[in-house]
Amino acid sequence: MAYPLTRQLWRPVVLALAVLAPGLAQAAESSAVTSPRVTATLLSSRDAVAPGERFQVALVQKIAPGWHTYWANPGDSGEPTRIAWTLSQGATASEIQWPAPKAIPVEPLVNFGFEGTVLLPVEITVPAEAKIGERLTLQAAATWLVCEKICIPEEGTLTLDLPVASAAVADAAAESRIEGTRARLPAPAGFRGRLAAEGEALALMLPGLPAAATDLRFFPLSDTLIDHAAAQDMRRAGDAAALRLARSSAFKIAGGEIAGVLTYRESGLSRALSVTADVDPVLVGAAAAPATPPATVSIPLPAEGADLTLWAALLFAFAGGLILNLMPCVLPVLFIKALGFAQLAQASRSQVREQGLLFLAGVLVTFMALATLVIALGALGTSVGWGFQLQSPPLVIALAVVMTLIGLNLLGAFEIGASAAGVGHGLASRGGRLGAFMTGALAVVVATPCTAPFMGAAIGYAVTQPPLLGLSVFLSLALGFALPVVALSFAPGLLRLLPKPGRWMLVLKQAFAFPMFATAIWLIWVASVQAGPGGVLAALVAVLAAGFVVWLVGVTRGSGFGRLASSLAAVLVACGAGWFVVQSAVPEATQARAGDTQVWTPERVVALQAEGRPVFVNFTAAWCITCLANERVALSRQEVKDAFAELKVVYLKADWTNRNSQIAMALAEQGRAGVPLYLFYPGSKGAQPEILPQLLTPDMVVTAARRAAGKEVRTAAR
Amino acid sequence: MKAHLTRQTLIAGLALAGFSLAAAPALAQSAAKIGAPAPAFEAVDSDGKTRKLSEFAGKTVILEWTNHDCPYVRKHYTSATMQTLQKDMAKEGVVWLSVISSPVGEQGHVDGAKANELTKSRNAAPAAVLLDPNSKVARAYGATTTPHMYIIDPKGTLAYMGAIDDKPSAGAASLEGAKSYVRQAVAELKAGKPVSEASTKAYGCAVKYAPVS
């Protein structure tokens, strides 16, 4: 930005000087040092310098095809280019401002460096005392290693001699070349990363990456951090990403932070960020994980989700799916389905079985579609975590409408598909093959707001695994979810346990409308949390419009013209309401809404631990029913509050109701893809947290608090 | 909404189909690990004799990856630093094995006769020079540079791997005041102490690897 302005300002000056003092203007490029491999020069953005100014010079290496020179960390072999400066007038030179390197494979090794022509910019500071009329001599004794397969160390002394004038004189062409390079230097990242142990490997957490970033590669400045040639696997959660890095065989971290350059592609363009990451204290000073660990080396606790075996994840997923059946949003749908079986059972057992299998198909297809979406979006680098769909207010509202319609249907306010099925059993008990399939799909849709216990770890595992493994975990979840209904359809014995169909069925059916309305109210509350009063208005208008539409379709059924007109009106109303919802339900930024608790940040945890305070972190979201249940039955109980007060536990809340990359990153760090997650950090610096189960009891929390406060010996070493 | 979802699903499906797992390169899994048994190997030496790591059991063994045309190796040989180190180690009863892993046609590749001639002309003193033109030993140890040093203790455990000294440079001036990681590790082993700097970042030219056959 500054450059075209400078050029315009200085052009007349250059001309004037050229006319007035022809001897003053100098070539702003030194004579070259040449080898068959590299032609090196020193380029200056100034023809004349002014006292007190800073300006840019660059070491230019024109490298022959097939050869390369090296970045600050040369990778598996090689040596970075170095410059030793001798400057007159007391001028000083900065370090080399390194452009982003390229990974240059020399199978099976990898070097970090440059090919083609590279400019290595250096900033020169001219002291204010520099004497006008004298010369500023810049002497760069540069050494570099240039390699193809073989390596040649080269060196050269490059000298520039610039006049010191009262006003600086820019060399437009040179300045444009140097500034062009500087514009592409790695930009400071707008976030701090975090480096943690992940078993034998390292995990570099990167919050706040652009959603479309792909092809991530981290180039550490230190050459003793990572195995340079190893693949860097990325996983994403929300707009946070984590790179899995293999440790260097000479692994060593000196301080509390590491730095490096992250390169990635975004919409076809190569980009680079300069990243600094805080280092998990357990890694500092640690040597490469030794085969026989000495007693003094602390082994970091593995993250729960990341450490699950496939079998355990499958088992957890299956159990989680099974429990999902009991969730208040799902139970009514399934119960009505079961009642439908009971009715059908009078007619034909084979028909019941067929219905059961079609229900299973509906569940599997819908689950797999959702899982594929979750995993693929993650792989494409878009977003993701389980429950992510509930971070969108319009989707929450849509679910509220679905719940309301199911409720109205159960009450008998309208019926669907009467003409097709012949008998009006209503939405959930709709006869016919399509009906059974759709019931399965509907059950999955209404189940999405509920994360059952055991599901968290399994889904966390699923999204961090290769797609096929991940899908198999979701498949197990779907099978567990479908099991009760399918079992019912195959076991006439079970069906016989149900009372004979009669009036009680109608009453129960109507009664089940109310859990659905309750779920709808809860979802509308979620929308209010996400989008404020506008969200509530949008949700209620959507419910009203949906109710109107089904009523309209109902009353005009039968008459051809009336039906056409009402369908048209229905479509119009539905579209209008949909547009209104999308317009008004804009999420608000989630901020401190934690009541008597404090808002979580990773820095806060570190600071509190350093003070010796145990820390409890509740990762929650308004749309997470398990989270709310836990808060009600355990976390807000008096005995828990008392224990926290007595043990000086600090209660931090991380609210994931709306998107938050820091929280997504913290979840990913524990191998999770969604909430709830409860962590208890002991009150000592850098100590690893204990992960509490997803269903809490007051006892459990109090005992964990005692453990974290060191009042009780940890019995179960995980 | 529906059409949108279908498209998303399609993209997702395609992405899944196109998803392939990047296999970590072989070196990342090299068995060389401090504190673990050093990878066993078998190689022909410059006299045509088959040598095995197991024949040196009970002795400290040093492996030196070398390539006589690499400027970093030349720094240590033209200054006679390497030869002095080899002789001092021999006096300590340490077995010194120079390993040449360059395949035919690559810089540093030599046959037995040339290897012996190099030893003689440079007045070097390795116990043996191992020829590893298929880079098998290099892969087993994960050698990246020339020089790259490995020290195996008398029990066959890998005690040191990394650079020869702490001055990563090809310039002769860098030898002055350089700390020899090899001398330090051998002295500590002899004193029965744990090696204080057991793995360091090796520096030098890349080992020229033969393609995996």
Side-chain angles (χ1 to χ4, degrees), chain A residues 406-422:
Chain A
I406 295 175
L408 289 174
N409 172 259
L410 292 173
L411 277 180
F414 73 97
E415 290 175 348
I416 293 178
S419 52

mmCIF file of all heavy atoms in Angstrom, chain A residues 406-422:
data_model
loop_
_atom_site.group_PDB
_atom_site.id
_atom_site.type_symbol
_atom_site.label_atom_id
_atom_site.label_comp_id
_atom_site.label_asym_id
_atom_site.label_seq_id
_atom_site.Cartn_x
_atom_site.Cartn_y
_atom_site.Cartn_z
ATOM 1 N N ILE A 406 -45.781 -32.989 14.548
ATOM 2 C CA ILE A 406 -45.986 -34.349 15.068
ATOM 3 C C ILE A 406 -46.995 -34.294 16.219
ATOM 4 O O ILE A 406 -47.909 -35.119 16.302
ATOM 5 C CB ILE A 406 -44.652 -34.970 15.536
ATOM 6 C CG1 ILE A 406 -43.719 -35.151 14.342
ATOM 7 C CG2 ILE A 406 -44.902 -36.311 16.210
ATOM 8 C CD1 ILE A 406 -42.336 -35.637 14.720
ATOM 9 N N GLY A 407 -46.828 -33.288 17.089
ATOM 10 C CA GLY A 407 -47.748 -33.143 18.214
ATOM 11 C C GLY A 407 -49.179 -32.956 17.742
ATOM 12 O O GLY A 407 -50.101 -33.614 18.232
ATOM 13 N N LEU A 408 -49.368 -32.058 16.765
ATOM 14 C CA LEU A 408 -50.713 -31.806 16.239
ATOM 15 C C LEU A 408 -51.288 -33.069 15.622
ATOM 16 O O LEU A 408 -52.470 -33.388 15.781
ATOM 17 C CB LEU A 408 -50.657 -30.690 15.186
ATOM 18 C CG LEU A 408 -50.397 -29.284 15.727
ATOM 19 C CD1 LEU A 408 -50.223 -28.303 14.577
ATOM 20 C CD2 LEU A 408 -51.553 -28.847 16.619
ATOM 21 N N ASN A 409 -50.406 -33.784 14.949
ATOM 22 C CA ASN A 409 -50.833 -35.030 14.324
ATOM 23 C C ASN A 409 -51.293 -36.035 15.376
ATOM 24 O O ASN A 409 -52.310 -36.693 15.223
ATOM 25 C CB ASN A 409 -49.679 -35.587 13.496
ATOM 26 C CG ASN A 409 -49.976 -36.978 12.975
ATOM 27 O OD1 ASN A 409 -49.501 -37.960 13.525
ATOM 28 N ND2 ASN A 409 -50.784 -37.037 11.931
ATOM 29 N N LEU A 410 -50.514 -36.119 16.462
ATOM 30 C CA LEU A 410 -50.869 -37.062 17.520
ATOM 31 C C LEU A 410 -52.205 -36.685 18.152
ATOM 32 O O LEU A 410 -52.990 -37.550 18.545
ATOM 33 C CB LEU A 410 -49.780 -37.096 18.585
ATOM 34 C CG LEU A 410 -48.431 -37.698 18.134
ATOM 35 C CD1 LEU A 410 -47.375 -37.521 19.209
ATOM 36 C CD2 LEU A 410 -48.594 -39.170 17.794
ATOM 37 N N LEU A 411 -52.452 -35.385 18.226
ATOM 38 C CA LEU A 411 -53.718 -34.939 18.800
ATOM 39 C C LEU A 411 -54.883 -35.184 17.848
ATOM 40 O O LEU A 411 -56.038 -35.040 18.214
ATOM 41 C CB LEU A 411 -53.642 -33.443 19.121
ATOM 42 C CG LEU A 411 -52.994 -33.075 20.455
ATOM 43 C CD1 LEU A 411 -52.988 -31.577 20.633
ATOM 44 C CD2 LEU A 411 -53.725 -33.748 21.606
ATOM 45 N N GLY A 412 -54.558 -35.501 16.605
ATOM 46 C CA GLY A 412 -55.606 -35.749 15.634
ATOM 47 C C GLY A 412 -56.084 -34.489 14.939
ATOM 48 O O GLY A 412 -57.131 -34.482 14.307
ATOM 49 N N ALA A 413 -55.309 -33.415 15.048
ATOM 50 C CA ALA A 413 -55.706 -32.164 14.422
ATOM 51 C C ALA A 413 -55.668 -32.273 12.895
ATOM 52 O O ALA A 413 -56.384 -31.582 12.199
ATOM 53 C CB ALA A 413 -54.799 -31.034 14.883
ATOM 54 N N PHE A 414 -54.798 -33.120 12.407
ATOM 55 C CA PHE A 414 -54.783 -33.347 10.962
ATOM 56 C C PHE A 414 -54.209 -34.736 10.727
ATOM 57 O O PHE A 414 -53.582 -35.337 11.599
ATOM 58 C CB PHE A 414 -53.944 -32.295 10.239
ATOM 59 C CG PHE A 414 -52.473 -32.472 10.438
ATOM 60 C CD1 PHE A 414 -51.693 -33.145 9.481
ATOM 61 C CD2 PHE A 414 -51.837 -31.989 11.589
ATOM 62 C CE1 PHE A 414 -50.343 -33.310 9.672
ATOM 63 C CE2 PHE A 414 -50.491 -32.152 11.770
ATOM 64 C CZ PHE A 414 -49.727 -32.815 10.816
ATOM 65 N N GLU A 415 -54.417 -35.237 9.565
ATOM 66 C CA GLU A 415 -53.893 -36.553 9.232
ATOM 67 C C GLU A 415 -53.244 -36.487 7.872
ATOM 68 O O GLU A 415 -53.644 -35.707 7.013
ATOM 69 C CB GLU A 415 -55.025 -37.579 9.260
ATOM 70 C CG GLU A 415 -55.481 -37.814 10.686
ATOM 71 C CD GLU A 415 -56.666 -38.727 10.760
ATOM 72 O OE1 GLU A 415 -57.270 -38.992 9.707
ATOM 73 O OE2 GLU A 415 -56.998 -39.169 11.872
ATOM 74 N N ILE A 416 -52.225 -37.295 7.731
ATOM 75 C CA ILE A 416 -51.495 -37.270 6.472
ATOM 76 C C ILE A 416 -51.689 -38.589 5.756
ATOM 77 O O ILE A 416 -51.730 -39.646 6.379
ATOM 78 C CB ILE A 416 -49.991 -37.057 6.727
ATOM 79 C CG1 ILE A 416 -49.772 -35.652 7.300
ATOM 80 C CG2 ILE A 416 -49.193 -37.191 5.434
ATOM 81 C CD1 ILE A 416 -48.346 -35.371 7.628
ATOM 82 N N GLY A 417 -51.768 -38.499 4.467
ATOM 83 C CA GLY A 417 -51.728 -39.710 3.654
ATOM 84 C C GLY A 417 -52.947 -40.597 3.827
ATOM 85 O O GLY A 417 -52.889 -41.792 3.548
ATOM 86 N N ALA A 418 -54.050 -40.019 4.286
ATOM 87 C CA ALA A 418 -55.238 -40.828 4.494
ATOM 88 C C ALA A 418 -55.641 -41.518 3.196
ATOM 89 O O ALA A 418 -55.985 -42.698 3.189
ATOM 90 C CB ALA A 418 -56.375 -39.946 4.999
ATOM 91 N N SER A 419 -55.547 -40.783 2.115
ATOM 92 C CA SER A 419 -55.988 -41.358 0.855
ATOM 93 C C SER A 419 -55.061 -42.492 0.425
ATOM 94 O O SER A 419 -55.516 -43.483 -0.125
ATOM 95 C CB SER A 419 -56.022 -40.260 -0.226
ATOM 96 O OG SER A 419 -54.781 -39.600 -0.250
ATOM 97 N N ALA A 420 -53.798 -42.336 0.705
ATOM 98 C CA ALA A 420 -52.850 -43.352 0.254
ATOM 99 C C ALA A 420 -52.975 -44.623 1.075
ATOM 100 O O ALA A 420 -52.973 -45.731 0.544
ATOM 101 C CB ALA A 420 -51.424 -42.824 0.343
ATOM 102 N N ALA A 421 -53.068 -44.476 2.369
ATOM 103 C CA ALA A 421 -53.040 -45.658 3.225
ATOM 104 C C ALA A 421 -54.428 -46.222 3.483
ATOM 105 O O ALA A 421 -54.574 -47.337 3.950
ATOM 106 C CB ALA A 421 -52.380 -45.320 4.559
ATOM 107 N N GLY A 422 -55.417 -45.440 3.186
ATOM 108 C CA GLY A 422 -56.766 -45.935 3.409
ATOM 109 C C GLY A 422 -57.228 -45.675 4.832
ATOM 110 O O GLY A 422 -58.310 -45.179 5.059
#
